[in-house]
Amino acid sequence: MVVLAASICTKTGKAIVSRQFFEMPRSRIEGLLASFPKLIGSSDQHTFVETESVRYVYQPLEELFMVLVTNKQSNILQDIDTLHLFARVVSEQCRTMDEKEVAKNAFNLLSVFDELVAVGGYRESVTLAQIRTITEMESHEERVQAEIAKQKERDAKEELNRKAKMLDQQKREMQKKGGYGGGMSSFSGISSSISAFGGGGASGGSGGGYGGRQTPSYESSSSYDDYRSSPTPAKSSAASGPPSKGMQLGAKKSTANALFESLKNEEGLHDVVEPPRASPHMVSAVAPITSPTTGEAVQLDIEERIIMNANRDGGLSKLEVKGTLSLKVSDPSKGVIRIVLKNNHESNVQFQTHPNVDKALFSEENTIGNKDKSRPFPPQSIVILRWRYSSKDDSAIPLAINCWPSPTGSGSCDVNIEYELQNASLELRDVVISIPYPGGVPPSIGDAEGSYRVDKQKRSIEWEIPFIDASNRSGVLEFSVPSEDVSGFYPISAKFHSVKTLTKVEVDRVVSVADGSSVAFAKNGGFEVEEYLVV
């Protein structure tokens, strides 16, 4: 077959978009398209019409016509097949079939026409899925490489933080060896005791020797105790010296001050006395800091973050869990305690305790306590335990997501997305599964558990399930798209969180070191997803 031109015109023969594959003047193609509407009748059911020199193969597109102008020696069956491919490509590029929309997407349509027919009028051996991939210029390998690049950036940041902490530690050690002079000794004792458990309350658990720039350590037992019972600093020698000749309180008022006082008395104004502001030391001396959520003096927070990468065939590429246990004691009288953990966590969990925690006690009895039994935990929020868990076992995936695309062979694809909760003891909340779809035509949604939302800008389906547990541990979303590109449904991502930990690291009880009695405590815990991909 030889295609002379591919055009989209109105019913009156006005050309909107036309691509000529042979060199011909503009007046020639405009004349051919202007005579085209006169050759077809209103009741004519044919899809082609011939003249003495050319053949028109056409298909109505609502108020427009898709027209191929060919020579009379071309194969009519191939012409009709090519025409149908042109029409489907135009319907994907344009949301509505009107003159304004076609003119808006004229350059995209011309690029697609060049992919279908080469210069010389011969059709290229391409399918609709290949045309869509070429025009969208998207690649599955590129997306995978992008995810790998993000992971490398995260690893580089972690390595940078580790080296920064190492440099800070070396700097502090050099300062300790060099010593401080005279008046700085008292400040050193205060600063070391403040940072002994990871800094002040503003650090929020980023201290503790693992996270944050300042690696905490106990200088000595006396430094922390001196800070708690530090005497009132003596007045400076300058205050007890001879008075200066500058401005003094109680001196005779100037003329301006006297004028101001007279005006104030005439208008009946009074001085506004501002109440004294309480310093942070005054606040802590009056009443202990209470937890924002509960009234318990001991607050424990367990946080886990999950990074999971799985293959589309079901294999697990990476599963990593990082967790922290934070402690906050708002009542100093209850600071001499020990935290006993449950002994049912995963076997290959790697723990790392705070430098001031008794490592032997933790390894033997699964209990967290200070090396010095008489020393209380400070009132700031500190991280006392970190752990890491990784696995490549498929059964360790908390929520398995499978995609089952089925091309129909007619240019469309039926897709089933299935989720399955593999650990029945978990409770997942606010689950959102994002599935990309190929092409520019929104999918047709069938059955769905929960709710869904189609994002046309991102070309993705947001599948939302409020709650997943053992009662609804599996669900299916069915939809169809006018595309057979099965790789266009990846990568699939998910977001969710849970009030339970994935590694089963839990606090059993809190006991007092003095008499072994139980101490009431409040506990918050769970995990959330940092990255969850099926590629």
Side-chain angles (χ1 to χ4, degrees):
M1 62 166 290
V2 177
V3 180
L4 303 178
S7 307
I8 301 176
C9 64
T10 63
K11 290 186 177 181
T12 60
K14 175 186 175 183
I16 304 174
V17 173
S18 181
R19 180 69 172 96
Q20 291 75 250
F21 302 102
F22 280 87
E23 186 175 354
M24 63 175 67
R26 177 176 177 177
S27 58
R28 171 64 174 163
I29 187 63
E30 288 181 348
L32 291 174
L33 294 177
S35 60
F36 163 70
K38 303 174 184 178
L39 300 175
I40 60 174
S42 59
S43 61
D44 196 354
Q45 299 298 322
H46 297 287
T47 58
F48 69 95
V49 63
E50 295 182 353
T51 64
E52 295 180 357
S53 58
V54 296
R55 175 188 294 152
Y56 299 92
V57 186
Y58 62 92
Q59 178 177 333
L61 299 176
E62 296 180 4
E63 299 298 326
L64 307 176
F65 279 107
M66 180 70 227
V67 183
L68 297 184
V69 182
T70 68
N71 57 9
K72 296 181 67 174
Q73 291 76 29
S74 64
N75 191 326
I76 185 63
L77 297 179
Q78 293 181 3
D79 293 344
I80 294 176
D81 183 61
T82 305
L83 175 67
H84 291 165
L85 186 57
F86 267 94
R88 292 180 62 184
V89 167
V90 172
S91 64
E92 282 202 356
Q93 294 293 327
C94 302
R95 299 180 181 272
T96 58
M97 293 302 164
D98 54 26
E99 184 176 350
K100 183 178 180 181
E101 183 71 14
V102 172
K104 178 181 177 182
N105 297 276
F107 288 103
N108 294 335
L109 291 173
L110 292 176
S111 300
V112 173
F113 289 176
D114 287 339
E115 298 294 338
L116 293 175
V117 179
V119 176
Y122 295 97
R123 175 183 168 180
E124 297 283 1
S125 179
V126 291
T127 62
L128 181 63
Q130 293 173 336
I131 291 296
R132 186 180 299 114
T133 302
I134 294 172
T135 54
E136 292 180 357
M137 301 181 70
E138 293 184 358
S139 172
H140 170 68
E141 288 76 10
E142 182 182 359
R143 289 195 292 264
V144 172
Q145 291 299 324
E147 296 299 332
I148 294 175
K150 290 181 181 179
Q151 182 61 36
K152 289 182 178 179
E153 290 181 2
R154 285 192 292 268
D155 295 340
K157 289 180 180 179
E158 293 179 359
E159 181 67 16
L160 182 62
N161 292 334
R162 186 186 66 81
K163 290 184 178 180
K165 290 190 292 183
M166 185 184 300
L167 292 175
D168 291 343
Q169 180 69 21
Q170 293 176 356
K171 183 178 179 181
R172 279 193 294 272
E173 290 178 357
M174 293 177 63
Q175 291 176 349
K176 292 177 185 176
K177 293 178 181 179
Y180 295 97
M184 292 296 294
S185 59
S186 60
F187 177 78
S188 174
I190 296 176
S191 62
S192 62
S193 61
I194 292 176
S195 63
F197 262 102
S203 63
S206 64
Y210 310 118
R213 289 296 182 91
Q214 297 182 355
T215 304
S217 60
Y218 277 121
E219 301 288 337
S220 63
S221 59
S222 61
S223 63
Y224 185 76
D225 296 335
D226 292 342
Y227 170 66
R228 296 182 57 198
S229 59
S230 58
T232 304
K235 295 182 180 179
S236 61
S237 59
S240 58
S244 63
K245 295 184 179 180
M247 180 181 295
Q248 299 181 12
L249 297 177
K252 185 177 180 180
K253 298 180 181 180
S254 62
T255 306
N257 290 339
L259 180 61
F260 175 76
E261 290 293 336
S262 62
L263 291 175
K264 185 174 68 173
N265 294 331
E266 291 178 2
E267 298 294 335
L269 301 177
H270 301 282
D271 292 336
V272 178
V273 180
E274 184 178 357
R277 297 181 180 178
S279 65
H281 301 287
M282 295 173 61
V283 175
S284 59
V286 174
I289 302 173
T290 58
S291 173
T293 55
T294 62
E296 302 298 342
V298 179
Q299 176 78 30
L300 294 168
D301 295 322
I302 299 178
E303 297 181 0
E304 286 185 344
R305 292 185 174 273
I306 298 177
I307 298 177
M308 195 282 297
N309 291 332
N311 300 323
R312 62 185 66 182
D313 58 357
L316 178 60
S317 301
K318 176 183 179 181
L319 176 62
E320 184 178 73
V321 182
K322 295 181 180 180
T324 59
L325 173 60
S326 302
L327 170 66
K328 182 178 181 181
V329 181
S330 58
D331 188 356
S333 63
K334 297 182 180 181
V336 187
I337 55 175
R338 287 180 175 178
I339 298 97
V340 183
L341 303 182
K342 294 182 180 179
N343 199 15
N344 60 344
H345 56 76
E346 297 290 340
S347 58
N348 55 345
V349 176
Q350 301 175 359
F351 290 99
Q352 187 179 17
T353 59
H354 190 279
N356 300 317
V357 170
D358 190 344
K359 299 184 183 296
L361 178 66
F362 178 77
S363 59
E364 295 173 2
E365 303 181 13
N366 211 27
T367 302
I368 301 174
N370 271 330
K371 293 179 181 179
D372 186 354
K373 298 180 180 180
S374 61
R375 174 177 296 175
F377 286 99
Q380 297 86 13
S381 179
I382 58 173
V383 176
I384 57 176
L385 181 65
R386 291 183 181 271
W387 62 91
R388 181 179 180 273
Y389 168 78
S390 62
S391 175
K392 290 190 175 181
D393 186 4
D394 297 348
S395 61
I397 300 177
L399 184 67
I401 302 174
N402 297 314
C403 178
W404 303 92
S406 301
T408 61
S410 59
S412 62
C413 188
D414 296 332
V415 185
N416 290 335
I417 304 294
E418 178 187 16
Y419 75 80
E420 182 179 2
L421 182 66
Q422 299 199 143
N423 189 347
S425 63
L426 290 178
E427 297 176 355
L428 308 183
R429 304 185 179 187
D430 301 329
V431 181
V432 179
I433 303 175
S434 300
I435 309 104
Y437 62 85
V441 180
S444 177
I445 309 295
D447 295 335
E449 299 285 341
S451 59
Y452 64 88
R453 180 175 60 88
V454 178
D455 192 336
K456 295 182 181 180
Q457 292 184 349
K458 296 182 179 179
R459 294 185 180 180
S460 66
I461 304 172
E462 305 292 329
W463 187 15
E464 302 175 355
I465 306 98
F467 190 81
I468 298 178
D469 60 356
S471 61
N472 62 335
R473 60 186 306 174
S474 63
V476 178
L477 170 67
E478 298 179 358
F479 64 92
S480 60
V481 294
S483 172
E484 295 185 354
D485 183 13
V486 296
S487 63
F489 302 105
Y490 297 94
I492 301 174
S493 61
K495 290 286 186 181
F496 52 85
H497 64 90
S498 176
V499 295
K500 297 182 179 180
T501 58
L502 187 63
T503 58
K504 300 179 182 178
V505 176
E506 296 290 343
V507 177
D508 186 15
R509 62 187 184 278
V510 178
V511 297
S512 173
V513 176
D515 54 5
S517 61
S518 297
V519 177
F521 66 96
K523 179 180 66 174
N524 295 321
F527 70 84
E528 63 180 13
V529 170
E530 182 175 333
E531 182 182 271
Y532 208 89
L533 295 175
V534 179
V535 297

